[in-house]
Each structure stands twice: as C-alpha cells, then as structure tokens.
Amino acid sequence: MSRQPRLIAADWGTSSLRAWLLDDQGDILESRAEPWGIQQLPDGDFAGAWRRIAGGWRTQYPALPALACGMIGSRGGWREVPYVDCPAAPEQLAEGLVEFDTGTGPLTLVPGIMQHSNGATATLPNVMRGEETQVLGALERQPALRDEALLVMPGTHCKWVTVRDGRITDFTTHMTGELFAVLREHSILGRPAREVATEASEAAFGDGLDVARQCGAAGISGALFSVRSRVLAGELAVEHSLEYLSGLLIGEELRSVLVGRDSCPPLMLIGDDSLCRRYRLALARFGIDDVQPMADAGIAGLWRIAHTAGLVSDRGH
Amino acid sequence: MSRQPRLIAADWGTSSLRAWLLDDQGDILESRAEPWGIQQLPDGDFAGAWRRIAGGWRTQYPALPALACGMIGSRGGWREVPYVDCPAAPEQLAEGLVEFDTGTGPLTLVPGIMQHSNGATATLPNVMRGEETQVLGALERQPALRDEALLVMPGTHCKWVTVRDGRITDFTTHMTGELFAVLREHSILGRPAREVATEASEAAFGDGLDVARQCGAAGISGALFSVRSRVLAGELAVEHSLEYLSGLLIGEELRSVLVGRDSCPPLMLIGDDSLCRRYRLALARFGIDDVQPMADAGIAGLWRIAHTAGLVSDRGH
C-alpha cells in the first residue's frame, strides 16, 4: 500500500524555512529547507518563497491542507496571527489558527502564546512563537510528560516551559544565546578571542559554570568581566575564553531558574544537539542528572495541531 | 605673583586624550582635549598625538615633568606599565611609575592596579587603569573618605572601589555600560527603539529598577526579555524601552553589590553628571540616600601621585 500525502507542514522561523510533505501517519514523505527565514528573505517576498518551496507539492496535490508555525505569524512575518493566552492546550492553539490565501493555495498559521503579567506575583509578560509547537510535539512523543514537566529549549532565546495536564501553564525566556552572541561579536570580552583560533574546552566551560554557581545570589554582574581579567592574570587561555563565557552565562541561567526550587519536575531538553549537550553538562553541575535530550519536535507538533483542528482526518495517528 | 607651571598632566584613555598645564598648587593654567583615545588614534601614532597636544608647553617649559594615567599604559597603549598589586596606597603607585622618552621630552605613566584571585574566598582577579588616579583624587578632595569608603565610578565598566586607611583594598568591575551599549546596538531589545525617537522617562527607568529589585536572588536572567515582551503586551512604550533596559541593568548591578551587606560604608559617586544622576536615583530606590556625586577627580589624583613620587616639589599643595 502506498503512503498517501496528507499535510504540507512548515516551520518558518527567523533564520530558516523548512517544509515537509507528511503521510497519513504524520511521517515524512519529502523534505525541503531553505535559508529563507523572515529576516533573510530578499525583498520580504513571502509569496515567492512559499511558491518555490511548496508550489510543486501544491500542483501535484491541490487539495492538501498546509500548516506552518513560527515567526511567520509575527508582526514582522507574512500575516500576523494574534497570540492565544496562557495557559494553553492544543485546543486553544487549534482555535487560534488563521488561514489565508497565499496565491499558491491556502496556508494555515499556528498562533503563538502570550503569558500576561500578573501584578500579584510580579510575573512578567512573555511570548513564544514556534516553541508551542515543539512542546506539543514533545508531549506526543513522550506522553508521560503530560502530567507535569519542565521543557527547556536552548537557543537564541531559551524558553523554559512548564506543562501540567497537557497544557502549557507558564514559561520564561532567557536571552542567553543572544547575550553570548552580542558579547562575542561586539564586546571587549569577545575581541581578543576573535583574533585567535577558539578551542573547545569542557574545562573552561566548567570553570564558567562553577563561578556562576559560586556567585550565588549576587549573580554574575560582577563576574562577567573575569572573562577578560582572568586572561590578563594568566588564569585563562584566550583560546578558551569564549567557553568560559558560555559557562558563566548558562550557569547564571540555571542558577536563576533553580534558585528557591526544592524540587524540579521531569526535565526535557529540546533542540540542537551540541547546545543540548552543553545544557546537560551544566544541569549535571547543578545536581540534575539524567536529563534526556530530544531532537526537533516541530513535525510531531504540527501533526498534532492539524489533527486537533480537523485539518487531517482521524484515519492517521 | 604669577602662577608658575609645575606639571603637564594627562588622562589618556580609550576614547579621549585630555591634558592640563598645572601650577604649583595643582590648579589648571591651560587645558587641551582631543578625541585621540588609544582606540581612535590614526595609525596608532602616539608620538604625533603627544607632540600635538603637549609640544607647545614643552617648547615653552622644557624642564617640566609630564605625568599621564589611563589606558595609554596598557598593552594596547603606547608603553605597557606593569600593574601594581592590590591593596595599593599612593606610595605603591608612585613606585610603579614608568618614565620613557617620547621624542617630545620624557613622559611618566601611572601603573594600573591588579587584584589577584583568591582561592579561599573565590575572589576573581580584577584590573583597573585610570580609576586608581580618580580614587586618589577623590581622597585628596574629601579626606574624610580615607578611613573607609566605597567609591563608585559609573561608565562602560563601572568600578566599585573599597578604600580603607587611604589604600585601595579591593574592587569589582560591572560591565553595565558596555552591556547596555551592545544590547541597544546589536540585540532584539534595542532594534525597535532604534526606529523611533527615544524619550527620557524616569518612570520607565524606575520600573526597570523595581523589576530588578523584585527579581531578588534569581537575578534578571529571566527578566531581560521583558524589554521586548512588555512592549508587545502594551505595557511599555517603545520610546521608553531603553530607559527600562537601563533600569534593569543598573538595578541588577546594585542588587548584586548590596546583597548580603548589612551596612554600606560612606558612598561616593565619581564621574559624568548624567550617569551619576542615574546611579543616585537607583541607589535611592535601594534605600541609599544622600549619595554625593563628584565630577572628574583625575587632575587631583595626578597631582597627588606626582607629589608622592617627587616629580613636583613640596612647595605646592
């Protein structure tokens, strides 16, 4: 029996556009990827990019639904999709879908989630677009996480998402990846390292983690400059200084999240292998072992949302 | 009685070169300033810059001593002057002076100070070049601070310097100014604000301070993104978002320095008026009132070092 195409699924973010033709089990029949993130598109030509990536599938299977998640639904994207409120279950995301005509058939966009500020507990507002789909995908793949879990998605903006009873109940954003990038490229901490060949060093990364831990409640405000001063004092090789900086920043993120917690719910890392590995090493340093990483869960999440919304029939899955 | 020139004094830092002709009381006879900081000099032509700023004085008064402080004595400066160790009194700085021939007469450079790391208390190494001269100048102007004081020098790298019995006993560096600049210029937090006219807002600055205070031991790792999310949630005008960012960063610096302190020694702010005003407002928010600011104290510090080193006679001062 040949596998039938059922859904065109896409993850269209800030830096890339990936699309898949999925069969009636949600498995991949064909894959395409282009570096056409919403900030990289020549002339902001969303329609042209979509035609080039999905046009062939559209011609062959004109009736297929198409579903995309990510920054494509933001104000700077193709079509702004209002956020749904937190807490959010798959049903709320399905209700918030927005469909429009692309010129290459209809396209449905997944909404992001907004957590509103809460005066009583001084919660700050937070937003995500794309990560909600990763979370639903992870819960599809590991149903045991639905009761209660903390899902961590390292990256430019690392999201820490709390799940209870299959719903996203709250989340925070840590700009650790962006902080690292701007300090490496534009600060005095990165300048000397840019003039040499940077070397991987788990020891220097670990030193950074340890210093962040030892800073305790003071945080790393007064320790960040040690990326420079330890090089000047001969305690740190300039080739390893960015590893040390990475340790300081990730260490501060973990310290911040874990402070005041007596226990931690089951924890899952989702995303890029090498970054997840860094977070695993760091979590172990903070006494949290046995954290399992999961590669990209976007496809499973898109399939789940398409299903909940009735875009694909009940035959699959 | 006409005032006699006694010293050519200079503060030669990263972004500017300022020089003064001082009389036998250490008062200014003539001033010159050029944007010839060590990172701005065309072709790194230190000798040419010095000739153009001090050559006229040299011709008129060939026997005058010349003394300069700041990054000119760093590895990337004209002549590297080894750091003296912390704790340091004026005598140690005088002993660490380095004189060399510039082609436009001799020039003496003030050493910076290095604080070594201390395994027992996990102190990180720290370095300063230029601020040590500001500190000595402040102690000259306000001798009451010599017993015990905390001197704060806001800027790209804010230094918090503890003084006891007239000596610099320890110090820390907070990269708050540089963090603000790189986040404003190169991060998602600054991008929207760069497209509008930024407006001064003491209220938004205060909000940032309050959020940093409320973060407590968690620090601002999870709050930094609120510069963006509060704009998206309609809680913060994009025109005020950089003020809010400034409040978050300065608030985190103060929280970090003050955490675990039962009391604070007499505190003095030294430096640029508008930045000192920002820190005064912030300190008041943390319950520390009546902090007096002091404008640039470099000239008084250079005079004091010249005196201690015997470069100028005892007649003055």
Side-chain angles (χ1 to χ4, degrees):
Chain A
M1 191 182 87
S2 79
R3 295 152 67 203
Q4 289 300 311
R6 277 279 178 258
L7 180 69
I8 297 171
D11 184 340
W12 201 338
T14 305
S15 54
S16 71
L17 164 58
R18 294 174 302 155
W20 307 274
L21 189 66
L22 301 184
D23 72 9
D24 49 16
Q25 301 297 316
D27 291 329
I28 299 171
L29 291 169
E30 292 178 35
S31 297
R32 292 183 188 166
E34 297 289 347
W36 296 334
I38 68 164
Q39 284 179 2
Q40 265 80 37
L41 263 190
D43 307 321
D45 181 11
F46 296 107
W50 183 244
R51 189 175 56 245
R52 288 161 72 186
I53 207 147
W57 294 333
R58 271 271 163 260
T59 307
Q60 234 182 319
Y61 314 105
L64 279 195
L67 180 65
C69 67
M71 292 300 283
I72 191 63
S74 67
R75 199 165 299 171
W78 195 351
R79 182 66 55 109
E80 188 173 359
V81 182
Y83 294 105
V84 302
D85 290 346
C86 198
E91 289 69 25
Q92 277 80 53
L93 290 169
E95 285 164 18
L97 294 176
V98 166
E99 184 189 292
F100 69 106
D101 182 53
T102 65
T104 311
L107 175 61
T108 302
L109 299 182
V110 177
I113 298 180
M114 176 173 280
Q115 172 174 267
H116 293 275
S117 56
N118 170 343
T121 58
T123 303
L124 293 163
N126 252 303
V127 291
M128 58 164 79
R129 274 200 198 272
E131 292 91 349
E132 72 295 325
T133 305
Q134 297 277 337
V135 169
L136 295 194
L139 300 186
E140 280 302 293
R141 289 210 209 146
Q142 298 215 4
L145 296 172
R146 287 179 199 169
D147 284 352
E148 186 179 13
L150 187 53
L151 283 71
V152 190
M153 282 161 278
T156 305
H157 295 170
C158 182
K159 301 285 182 190
W160 290 72
V161 181
T162 301
V163 167
R164 283 200 190 87
D165 301 325
R167 304 189 311 162
I168 293 172
T169 58
D170 63 80
F171 58 101
T172 56
T173 305
H174 295 258
M175 299 180 57
T176 306
E178 184 164 3
L179 263 180
F180 179 76
V182 298
L183 290 173
R184 179 189 58 202
E185 297 302 321
H186 303 289
S187 82
I188 194 176
L189 303 185
R191 204 168 296 135
R194 287 202 304 278
E195 292 165 7
V196 299
T198 288
E199 286 174 15
S201 168
E202 217 164 271
F205 178 65
D207 279 351
L209 293 171
D210 287 343
V211 168
R213 271 203 312 138
Q214 286 157 11
C215 285
I220 60 165
S221 173
L224 202 51
F225 185 66
S226 68
V227 178
R228 177 92 188 111
S229 66
R230 295 188 83 173
V231 170
L232 290 171
E235 293 178 12
L236 174 65
V238 67
E239 292 84 355
H240 299 158
S241 58
L242 291 178
E243 288 274 12
Y244 175 76
L245 172 62
S246 172
L248 272 182
L249 295 176
I250 293 177
E252 175 67 357
E253 176 179 347
L254 297 193
R255 191 196 65 73
S256 172
V257 171
L258 299 173
V259 72
R261 272 187 200 263
D262 292 329
S263 66
C264 195
L267 207 147
M268 164 77 61
L269 281 164
I270 307 175
D272 170 74
D273 274 356
S274 68
L275 207 46
C276 283
R277 180 157 186 285
R278 223 167 249 277
Y279 274 72
R280 279 179 81 183
L281 285 171
L283 283 161
R285 213 88 168 194
F286 281 78
I288 300 179
D289 294 306
D290 301 322
V291 178
Q292 291 309 309
M294 181 185 278
D296 186 72
I299 296 171
L302 286 161
W303 183 252
R304 170 66 204 267
I305 294 168
H307 223 269
T308 303
L311 290 178
V312 295
S313 72
D314 268 343
R315 276 189 298 163
H317 215 63
Chain B
M1 191 183 91
S2 78
R3 295 153 67 202
Q4 290 300 311
R6 277 279 178 260
L7 179 70
I8 297 171
D11 184 340
W12 200 338
T14 304
S15 54
S16 71
L17 164 57
R18 293 175 301 155
W20 307 274
L21 188 66
L22 303 184
D23 71 10
D24 49 15
Q25 300 297 317
D27 292 330
I28 299 171
L29 292 168
E30 292 178 33
S31 297
R32 291 182 188 168
E34 297 288 349
W36 297 334
I38 68 164
Q39 284 177 3
Q40 265 79 37
L41 264 190
D43 307 323
D45 181 12
F46 296 107
W50 184 244
R51 187 175 58 247
R52 287 161 72 188
I53 206 147
W57 293 335
R58 270 273 164 261
T59 307
Q60 234 183 318
Y61 314 105
L64 279 195
L67 180 66
C69 67
M71 292 300 282
I72 190 63
S74 68
R75 200 165 298 170
W78 196 351
R79 182 65 57 106
E80 188 173 359
V81 182
Y83 292 105
V84 302
D85 290 345
C86 198
E91 289 70 24
Q92 277 81 53
L93 290 169
E95 286 164 16
L97 294 175
V98 166
E99 184 189 293
F100 68 107
D101 183 53
T102 66
T104 313
L107 175 61
T108 302
L109 300 182
V110 177
I113 298 180
M114 176 173 280
Q115 172 174 268
H116 293 275
S117 57
N118 171 343
T121 58
T123 305
L124 293 163
N126 252 303
V127 291
M128 59 164 78
R129 274 198 198 274
E131 292 92 349
E132 72 295 326
T133 305
Q134 297 278 338
V135 170
L136 296 194
L139 300 185
E140 280 302 292
R141 289 210 211 147
Q142 297 215 4
L145 295 173
R146 287 179 198 168
D147 284 352
E148 187 179 12
L150 186 54
L151 283 71
V152 189
M153 280 162 279
T156 305
H157 295 171
C158 182
K159 301 285 182 189
W160 290 72
V161 181
T162 302
V163 167
R164 283 200 190 85
D165 301 325
R167 303 189 312 164
I168 292 172
T169 58
D170 63 80
F171 59 100
T172 56
T173 305
H174 295 258
M175 298 180 59
T176 305
E178 184 164 3
L179 263 180
F180 179 76
V182 298
L183 290 172
R184 179 189 59 202
E185 296 302 321
H186 303 289
S187 83
I188 195 176
L189 303 185
R191 203 168 298 134
R194 288 201 303 278
E195 292 165 9
V196 299
T198 287
E199 285 172 17
S201 167
E202 217 164 271
F205 178 65
D207 279 350
L209 292 171
D210 287 344
V211 168
R213 272 202 311 138
Q214 286 157 11
C215 284
I220 61 166
S221 172
L224 202 50
F225 185 65
S226 68
V227 178
R228 177 93 188 108
S229 66
R230 296 189 83 173
V231 169
L232 290 171
E235 295 178 12
L236 174 66
V238 66
E239 293 83 356
H240 299 158
S241 58
L242 292 178
E243 288 274 11
Y244 175 75
L245 172 61
S246 172
L248 273 182
L249 295 176
I250 293 177
E252 175 67 357
E253 175 179 347
L254 297 192
R255 192 196 64 75
S256 172
V257 170
L258 298 174
V259 72
R261 272 188 200 261
D262 292 329
S263 66
C264 194
L267 207 148
M268 165 74 63
L269 280 164
I270 307 175
D272 169 73
D273 274 355
S274 69
L275 207 46
C276 282
R277 180 157 185 285
R278 223 167 248 278
Y279 274 72
R280 278 178 82 184
L281 285 170
L283 283 161
R285 212 89 169 191
F286 281 78
I288 300 179
D289 294 305
D290 301 323
V291 177
Q292 291 309 309
M294 180 186 279
D296 186 73
I299 296 171
L302 286 161
W303 183 252
R304 170 65 203 269
I305 294 168
H307 223 266
T308 303
L311 291 178
V312 294
S313 72
D314 268 341
R315 275 190 299 161
H317 215 64

